[in-house]
Amino acid sequence: MSDTEHDRPEPVEEQDGMTISTKHLVAIAQALGLAVAFASGISAWNGIGNDIARIDREIATRSQARDAWVAAHETLHKERLAEVRNREGAVDARLSAMDGQIRKLDELSFRVGATEQSAKTTAEAIKNLEATVNDQSANIRVMREILERQEERRRSEVKPR
């Protein structure tokens, strides 16, 4: 054998058209592929598990935030309702007080109307009285004139004697 023949590996027996070393390499490659697939599956499983845990934390955080918002919102509504009821009570009290004042104004309006009517009646009565006094004054003048004439006649009748 020559030196060049020693450098070459000796052929291994062939089976099914492959040498034994090639079969070993294929088996190793398949095992490595299977290991990589298994590792990828575990990694994906862990990633999905981490995603699920993160989503669960987000849901819990959002649920807590929503619960806090709902509680704050309900408190706001309760406070607003109390404020509205207080204002309604104040408005009712003011309306009751105003109702009494309106009744007084209605009564005052009636009284003013009655007083105006009375003033008109009084003014008419005064005018009638003035007319009557003027008539009587005229009658008194006429009577005075008559009496003065009669007095003059009497004087004139009494003097000649």
Side-chain angles (χ1 to χ4, degrees):
M1 286 202 195
S2 69
D3 287 335
T4 56
E5 289 181 14
H6 275 280
D7 291 339
R8 262 197 234 170
E10 290 193 26
V12 183
E13 293 183 27
E14 287 189 29
Q15 289 181 340
D16 300 332
M18 291 190 185
T19 59
I20 294 178
S21 63
T22 308
K23 285 184 180 182
H24 288 293
L25 287 175
V26 168
I28 290 172
Q30 286 177 346
L32 283 175
L34 185 61
V36 167
F38 186 71
S40 295
I42 289 174
S43 175
W45 184 263
N46 285 338
I48 290 172
N50 289 338
D51 288 345
I52 289 172
R54 180 182 50 83
I55 290 171
D56 284 344
R57 284 191 304 271
E58 285 180 16
I59 288 172
T61 302
R62 288 182 183 178
S63 177
Q64 289 172 350
R66 186 187 69 74
D67 291 344
W69 181 85
V70 166
H73 195 69
E74 286 176 354
T75 302
L76 174 72
H77 276 287
K78 288 177 184 175
E79 290 171 356
R80 182 69 178 134
L81 182 62
E83 182 181 328
V84 167
R85 286 189 177 155
N86 286 339
R87 285 186 181 180
E88 284 178 353
V91 167
D92 286 345
R94 287 178 63 196
L95 287 176
S96 296
M98 291 171 77
D99 190 36
Q101 291 175 350
I102 288 172
R103 286 186 191 143
K104 288 179 184 178
L105 287 175
D106 287 342
E107 185 178 321
L108 182 62
S109 174
F110 174 76
R111 286 182 177 181
V112 167
T115 303
E116 287 176 349
Q117 185 63 35
S118 174
K120 285 180 185 178
T121 305
T122 304
E124 288 176 8
I126 289 173
K127 284 181 185 178
N128 291 337
L129 184 61
E130 285 176 353
T132 303
V133 167
N134 287 336
D135 286 343
Q136 285 180 355
S137 177
N139 290 340
I140 289 174
R141 277 188 219 138
V142 170
M143 287 174 68
R144 186 182 294 159
E145 286 177 14
I146 292 172
L147 287 174
E148 285 175 358
R149 286 182 193 163
Q150 285 178 355
E151 186 74 30
E152 283 177 20
R153 267 193 239 156
R154 270 193 216 160
R155 282 184 196 163
S156 57
E157 289 179 6
V158 172
K159 278 191 184 183
R161 296 188 188 172

